[in-house]
Amino acid sequence: MNQKLNELWEKHHKRVYDIRHQLHMNPELGFQEYETSKLIATELENLGIEVTRNVAKTGVVGLIKGEHPGKTVALRADIDALSINEETDFEFKSKVPGVMHACGHDGHTASLLGVAMMLNEMKDELHGDVKLIFQPAEEVEGGALPMIKEGVLENVDAVFGGHLWGAIKEGKIGVRHGALMASPDIFTIKIIGKGGHGGVPHASVDPVPVMAQIISALQTIVSRKNDPTNPLVISCCNVHAGECHNAIPTEAVIQGTVRTLNNETRDFAEKMMEQLVKGIVESQGATYEFEFIRQFPPLINDNEATDIIEASAKKVVGSENVFEIPAPSMGGEDFAFFAQERTASFVFVGMAEDEENPILHHNSKFKWEDRNMKNLAQTLAQVAIDYLNQENDESDDLEFEMIAF
């Protein structure tokens, strides 16, 4: 079967490359991917694939109907870009000032369209259907949950996805059973004091030293309250107070992110953070507002689904080039919502020419080669085939056993 995928990739890969270049030159931010969506839908319709447009505003869904009855497997790609000004020497660099594909989503989208091209020519061999999910807004509030709410997972039995990954050498694919990525939650702490003259601090309630105490103390939750074997990150990334050099401000604000790999630690972090803030603020005569926004859940791969995609990846790149990722990433990924709802697994596909010099995501010089889409596209195509046809293979085995008995 892999030989056929190789032949089909050779047939279609130039078009996949062209699509990636077109997307890269015309990046669009989350929930604004209007031209991107049109391109995707048009490509699918030209293949004769059933298309649903405008799912969760700018999402697109394609459905390849297999010749034989069976389950439905979904494959997902994210389609949005980032608010970064591109500084590469690509001939097809972004034409949009301040916006670029700096995380590989142009490659994910083009790769999944490549999957559509390949599997559409193999539908007479499929025992079930393949749903192609092109999801908006992964980089912002997330388009996965809105798509789920609009019914994208109806009749779907399993979901698979992948990410071109700059920390892994090209030609290799990383899988992980269990927790793969963290929940990227957001917190805001507002400290409300009493403003006044910088030369008369005793007449005010200065929120700035209170803010400094809180920033330092938050790290004791990680180092002294949390089990050190249980990953937890609390990062204060945006702090602000005052507008001039000689006036004590009334308010100070801290914003940041909390990363965890399970919901129990999320609950613990939120509770401990507010307790700590409350104690420090009240001891200084100030008041506070605390907001903890739960963004994406942790991405937890299903073990059986991971076994399947691991076996599929080995057919594509060879057993020696597929490995178990030793530790989760503390980055976030809203594919986690799909994994909460259905059997699912997500893999990392290498694209670094040199592991000693990884490609940095979300960087203005983010750059990778087209050839790496082959492994992503063929792995997703292979896992769709393997997942759907395993049910048929098991039925054949059962029938043989019954006849033998």
Side-chain angles (χ1 to χ4, degrees):
M1 189 69 75
N2 185 249
Q3 179 60 35
K4 188 162 187 178
L5 286 177
N6 280 330
E7 293 170 0
L8 289 170
W9 178 256
E10 287 304 310
K11 177 180 177 180
H12 294 292
H13 78 276
K14 289 183 180 178
R15 178 57 187 153
V16 174
Y17 290 3
D18 288 343
I19 291 170
R20 186 249 169 148
H21 298 172
Q22 188 172 348
L23 293 171
H24 196 91
M25 286 189 290
N26 300 280
E28 296 175 300
L29 298 175
F31 291 128
Q32 299 174 34
E33 310 98 328
Y34 302 110
E35 295 304 315
T36 301
S37 295
K38 287 180 186 176
L39 183 154
I40 294 165
T42 299
E43 288 291 329
L44 294 174
E45 287 169 347
N46 287 343
L47 293 169
I49 293 172
E50 180 182 315
V51 174
T52 304
R53 298 176 183 242
N54 305 320
V55 183
K57 296 182 181 179
T58 47
V60 179
V61 178
L63 184 64
I64 299 174
K65 295 182 178 179
E67 182 72 22
H68 311 284
K71 292 187 175 183
T72 299
V73 62
L75 306 174
R76 174 270 203 175
D78 37 19
I79 68 175
D80 57 323
L82 285 153
S83 298
I84 296 175
N85 195 59
E86 182 162 3
E87 297 180 355
T88 73
D89 58 359
F90 271 147
E91 292 183 4
F92 52 90
K93 70 183 295 183
S94 173
K95 295 179 180 179
V96 184
V99 183
M100 75 171 286
H101 274 290
C103 199
H105 295 190
D106 52 337
H108 303 165
T109 302
S111 294
L112 191 55
L113 286 170
V115 172
M117 296 170 196
M118 292 186 286
L119 292 185
N120 196 52
E121 293 196 37
M122 299 177 66
K123 56 190 175 186
D124 59 333
E125 301 175 38
L126 296 178
H127 291 261
D129 300 335
V130 180
K131 185 173 282 192
L132 308 165
I133 300 174
F134 295 87
Q135 180 216 299
E138 190 277 332
E139 297 289 6
V140 285
E141 61 263 46
L145 189 58
M147 291 192 90
I148 292 168
K149 288 180 177 178
E150 292 187 24
V152 74
L153 291 182
E154 288 180 8
N155 302 318
V156 169
D157 298 287
V159 188
F160 295 94
H163 203 302
L164 292 163
W165 205 246
I168 297 176
K169 187 173 176 57
E170 63 179 16
K172 296 186 178 294
I173 295 176
V175 302
R176 182 171 172 81
H177 294 74
L180 176 67
M181 300 186 79
S183 54
D185 298 324
I186 302 168
F187 70 86
T188 302
I189 301 165
K190 180 185 286 188
I191 302 128
I192 305 163
K194 180 181 178 183
H197 196 289
V200 192
H202 60 285
S204 303
V205 177
D206 191 347
V208 176
V210 179
M211 176 174 66
Q213 289 182 56
I214 289 171
I215 291 171
S216 295
L218 285 174
Q219 298 312 310
T220 66
I221 297 174
V222 177
S223 66
R224 289 296 177 266
K225 298 295 183 182
N226 181 58
D227 182 338
T229 65
N230 179 42
L232 170 63
V233 174
I234 301 175
S235 293
C236 299
C237 301
N238 178 16
V239 297
H240 178 77
E243 302 295 340
C244 61
H245 76 281
N246 60 353
I248 292 172
T250 298
E251 296 179 352
V253 177
I254 307 166
Q255 289 184 315
T257 185
V258 177
R259 305 295 172 113
T260 59
L261 293 173
N262 58 69
N263 288 321
E264 292 75 22
T265 309
R266 278 176 120 180
D267 295 339
F268 164 80
E270 180 178 4
K271 179 181 177 181
M272 292 301 302
M273 288 175 71
E274 184 162 14
Q275 282 185 3
L276 182 147
V277 170
K278 183 175 186 291
I280 292 175
V281 167
E282 290 183 350
S283 73
Q284 300 298 316
T287 58
Y288 74 95
E289 295 175 5
F290 178 78
E291 183 179 34
F292 192 99
I293 300 174
R294 299 193 174 214
Q295 209 171 15
F296 312 153
L299 172 46
I300 311 297
N301 281 337
D302 176 82
N303 286 337
E304 291 186 8
T306 303
D307 287 342
I308 296 170
I309 200 169
E310 180 179 14
S312 300
K314 288 177 178 178
K315 295 177 184 178
V316 174
V317 298
S319 298
E320 69 279 9
N321 291 314
V322 178
F323 68 98
E324 182 83 11
I325 297 168
S329 165
M330 298 309 281
E333 166 60 70
D334 79 338
F335 183 87
F337 285 114
F338 295 120
Q340 277 192 333
E341 298 294 326
R342 295 291 187 274
T343 297
S345 191
F346 195 79
V347 297
F348 291 161
V349 177
M351 61 178 184
E353 293 185 27
D354 177 9
E355 284 181 304
E356 299 300 317
N357 296 287
I359 298 170
L360 300 180
H361 295 257
H362 292 215
N363 183 285
S364 62
K365 294 181 170 62
F366 180 76
K367 184 178 178 182
W368 55 275
E369 298 301 324
D370 291 335
R371 61 179 175 266
N372 292 295
M373 289 187 285
K374 177 180 187 291
N375 290 340
L376 175 58
Q378 287 196 323
T379 297
L380 292 178
Q382 188 69 59
V383 76
I385 294 166
D386 292 346
Y387 178 82
L388 294 178
N389 290 354
Q390 71 168 345
E391 297 295 324
N392 183 62
D393 293 342
E394 289 171 2
S395 297
D396 289 346
D397 290 343
L398 179 59
E399 183 178 354
F400 175 77
E401 289 173 6
M402 292 176 68
I403 293 171
F405 179 79

